[in-house]
Amino acid sequence: MFAAWAAQVRAAPSGRADPARDVAFWARQAAHYDAGQPALPNTVAWLRGRLRGARSLLDVGAGTGRLTLPLAPAVPLVTALDHSPDMLAVLRAKGPPAHLSARCQGLQDALRDPTLPPHDAVLSAWSLAYLPDLRAALSGLLRLSGRDLLILEDDGVGSPHVNLRRHLSGQPRPQRASQLNAALSALGHPPDHHRVQEARELTFPDLPALLAQARLPLPDAEALAALRPHLTHDGAGWRYRWTFDVHVLHVRMGARP
């Protein structure tokens, strides 16, 4: 299982298993990252409920604070960990509360650093995909989790156009949530597996703009027929809406087998 994960990560054409390349990737993305991400109100509400009573939260791969900032009011002490200085600069520019500290450090280094203490809750949202040594990463996150480990991922079911593009190209659907579930179970910490439904909506002035975004290898008429169930026209343009699941793997550290 862990060897298969490592092979999958190293085979990624982006080469982001190399920490330097991943940092460079986020340097290019940081300024416009937030604009391209959907809001996750249901996920935030779900996490707030699980964080009730926690005294500290470590957000691993916190980035621009997409989840860290809305969760910060629920926890007295918050640490935002990320290896991208550019992403953390965006977080700092948002004026985080005084009880939130940003720490620029890669996870592998952080796990060996005695100055990073355990936290009641550890959150890792879409932050493990390019770490080849999954066993070490999960074992380290479990050590840092005093009460709860919360891992957010997906199983490759995203927007309708991306799903269709993968199908047409014969590209296998990544199933990281299922892989992480199995890996945690193999380490003796089977998680509770929850699905939180969210919605995403994009707007386009006309159909050519939508088709340019979708980039489907189909004639325009066929592409529109495939996307039609998700489209509405409101007079000003086209609304493209779909729902998706956020998978939450929750390990309760007091509930070990």
Side-chain angles (χ1 to χ4, degrees), residues 50 54-56 118-123 137-151 184-185 187-192 249-257:
R50 296 310 181 275
R55 295 162 298 175
S56 57
H119 288 58
D120 279 358
V122 173
L123 171 65
L138 290 178
S139 297
L141 294 179
L142 289 163
R143 286 197 307 272
L144 289 172
S145 305
R147 197 190 79 173
D148 301 278
L149 173 60
L150 297 151
I151 297 179
L184 286 165
S185 298
L187 293 173
H189 293 271
D192 297 328
L249 306 177
H250 181 197
V251 178
R252 304 169 190 264
M253 298 307 293
R256 302 181 185 185

Side-chain angles (χ1 to χ4, degrees), residues 2 107-108 111-112 128 131-143 187:
F2 295 104
L107 178 59
Q108 292 174 328
L111 293 176
R112 295 189 293 265
L128 302 174
L131 293 179
D133 193 346
L134 182 62
R135 183 190 297 272
L138 290 178
S139 297
L141 294 179
L142 289 163
R143 286 197 307 272
L187 293 173

Side-chain angles (χ1 to χ4, degrees), residues 6-163:
Q8 171 184 299
V9 170
R10 293 193 174 101
S14 65
R16 287 173 55 196
D18 175 1
R21 292 188 69 168
D22 197 52
V23 168
F25 171 85
W26 290 117
R28 298 189 298 271
Q29 297 290 320
H32 53 85
Y33 174 78
D34 287 341
Q37 300 303 310
L40 300 172
N42 298 332
T43 303
V44 168
W46 192 97
L47 290 170
R48 276 177 172 261
R50 296 310 181 275
L51 291 173
R52 192 173 293 115
R55 295 162 298 175
S56 57
L57 169 66
L58 170 64
D59 187 358
V60 176
T64 61
R66 179 187 182 197
L67 291 172
T68 328
L69 292 173
L71 292 175
V75 187
L77 177 66
V78 179
T79 304
L81 176 72
D82 202 285
H83 73 159
S84 168
D86 298 277
M87 294 288 276
L88 288 178
V90 175
L91 186 157
R92 291 189 181 99
K94 296 175 181 178
H99 69 281
L100 188 156
S101 62
R103 184 179 181 121
C104 190
Q105 192 173 29
L107 178 59
Q108 292 174 328
D109 290 337
L111 293 176
R112 295 189 293 265
D113 191 336
T115 68
L116 179 64
H119 288 58
D120 279 358
V122 173
L123 171 65
S124 172
W126 296 283
S127 63
L128 302 174
Y130 294 100
L131 293 179
D133 193 346
L134 182 62
R135 183 190 297 272
L138 290 178
S139 297
L141 294 179
L142 289 163
R143 286 197 307 272
L144 289 172
S145 305
R147 197 190 79 173
D148 301 278
L149 173 60
L150 297 151
I151 297 179
L152 274 58
E153 252 299 349
D154 59 66
D155 254 0
V157 180
S159 62
H161 64 278
V162 171
N163 293 338

Side-chain angles (χ1 to χ4, degrees), residues 169-210:
S169 67
Q171 180 182 355
R173 176 165 60 90
Q175 295 184 303
R176 293 194 187 98
S178 297
Q179 291 173 303
L180 290 168
N181 191 336
L184 286 165
S185 298
L187 293 173
H189 293 271
D192 297 328
H193 190 165
H194 305 273
R195 291 171 177 82
V196 182
Q197 189 174 84
E198 299 283 6
R200 180 88 189 266
E201 183 175 281
L202 302 177
T203 58
F204 298 91
D206 51 41
L207 291 176
L210 185 151

